[in-house]
Amino acid sequence: MARVAIFTDSASDLDPAEAAASGITIIPLLVTFGSETFKAGSELSGPEFWTRMTTPDAPFPTTAASSPGDFKAAYEAAFEGGAEAVVSIHVAGTLSGTIKSAQIARDMLPDREIHVVDSLGASMAEGILARMGIELAEADVPAEEIAGELESRAPDMRMYVALETLEYLKKGGRISGTQAAIGTLLSVKPIIAVKHGEVTTADRVRTRSKARERLLELIFERPVERIAILHTLAPDVKEFRAEVLRRLPDVDPETVTVELVGASVGPHLGPGCVGAAVMYRPS
């Protein structure tokens, strides 16, 4: 184990096997379907979540943060395993109570060095920072410097997703049934952005092809340093990744991963979406 242990949560949408192999520990959020509650990622995989999510008449899922006790136990296990410090990177505090649980756990271990970082984002906008954190930890960068670097880079993160349907924004209470019906009638494809901890509508366009083109315009508004492709069972995600790579000729294709959005963010997006989490080069 690296001297500094890196933690994140399941809202990062990091592949659990990849995260474990690289040394990142994922604290699962909870997802509930009706009377059944699961730990996202460990008890309910991304594909399993989408199977349940898209089952006709399935109850709309709700999510919740893990308890401070779960975080405390995970941090203690890392220290018992030989870590000297922890850097814990989490979904934006404006979007979830997860980071509050992490902060409470940190305060329950006052004699340990634990740094909690607000990613100001969700999904791979959080996951990319965790990947950067493990790279720095493996290079023996001190925990305080890792946390400072990630906090300084969090404002450079963006997440853009083109929605396939307005139905799930309606189910989640984000828009009214009337708005959803009108948008569907007009074939409106909203593009959602997550920036500095806030979710906004970056644009509304007609048709899937126009949404994809506008999505690419938004992604490449600034020079890209790191990027991960996101989707929610989108049939054209490979073609979208190919187009992203075409615009990044100097980037190693192996570094541009494709991640399935899971139980923590997926309920608000619905199936068929495609997008990206991007770290821009500092201005």
Side-chain angles (χ1 to χ4, degrees):
M1 173 180 284
R3 189 179 71 83
V4 180
I6 302 298
F7 283 76
T8 188
D9 55 67
S10 57
S12 66
D13 291 325
L14 282 170
D15 177 81
E18 179 225 319
S22 67
I24 299 170
T25 300
I26 297 176
I27 304 295
L29 276 67
L30 304 178
V31 56
T32 299
F33 284 90
S35 60
E36 295 183 279
T37 297
F38 305 91
K39 291 182 178 179
S42 58
E43 297 177 345
L44 188 72
S45 69
E48 288 168 343
F49 163 75
W50 284 107
T51 296
R52 282 180 172 266
M53 180 77 173
T54 55
T55 297
D57 301 321
F60 191 77
T62 59
T63 58
S66 292
S67 70
D70 290 336
F71 277 90
K72 178 174 179 285
Y75 293 158
E76 287 177 323
F79 289 118
E80 290 170 4
E84 298 176 19
V86 161
V87 176
S88 206
I89 306 112
H90 296 292
V91 57
T94 52
L95 304 178
S96 169
T98 301
I99 197 167
K100 189 65 177 177
S101 289
Q103 290 166 338
I104 292 170
R106 174 198 61 196
D107 295 343
M108 294 167 71
L109 297 168
D111 297 329
R112 296 292 195 176
E113 184 182 358
I114 301 172
H115 302 271
V116 178
V117 175
D118 189 329
S119 71
L120 303 181
S123 188
M124 283 301 294
E126 174 187 354
I128 286 173
L129 290 175
R131 285 175 173 168
M132 177 177 279
I134 201 70
E135 291 168 9
L136 293 170
E138 289 174 346
D140 291 325
V141 176
E144 185 174 7
E145 291 183 23
I146 294 173
E149 176 67 11
L150 299 182
E151 287 171 348
S152 73
R153 297 309 309 274
D156 294 323
M157 297 300 310
R158 299 289 186 276
M159 174 180 163
Y160 294 106
V161 180
L163 303 188
E164 184 63 18
T165 172
L166 298 171
E167 182 66 20
Y168 293 86
L169 285 178
K170 183 188 78 172
K171 287 182 177 181
R174 299 297 179 116
I175 62 173
S176 70
T178 300
Q179 288 173 312
I182 292 173
T184 300
L185 190 65
L186 298 175
S187 299
V188 170
K189 306 291 185 185
I191 298 175
I192 302 299
V194 182
K195 172 185 176 182
H196 298 167
E198 294 187 0
V199 181
T200 60
T201 301
D203 208 343
R204 294 181 179 88
V205 293
R206 301 277 295 276
T207 77
R208 175 187 291 184
S209 61
K210 290 181 179 178
R212 298 297 190 264
E213 185 55 39
R214 179 61 178 138
L215 189 59
L216 289 162
E217 289 175 0
L218 289 165
I219 289 168
F220 290 102
E221 279 183 337
R222 290 170 53 189
V224 171
E225 180 174 328
R226 300 184 185 219
I227 187 169
I229 307 302
L230 306 173
H231 75 108
T232 60
L233 305 181
D236 59 342
V237 65
K238 290 183 179 179
E239 291 82 0
F240 183 75
R241 178 179 182 271
E243 183 57 31
V244 167
L245 290 173
R246 191 181 69 79
R247 300 183 187 213
L248 290 171
D250 298 327
V251 170
D252 179 0
E254 293 296 318
T255 67
V256 182
T257 60
V258 176
E259 310 294 346
L260 178 66
V261 176
S264 303
V265 178
H268 305 293
L269 305 180
C273 301
V274 71
V278 189
M279 174 182 280
Y280 291 118
R281 298 191 183 280
S283 344

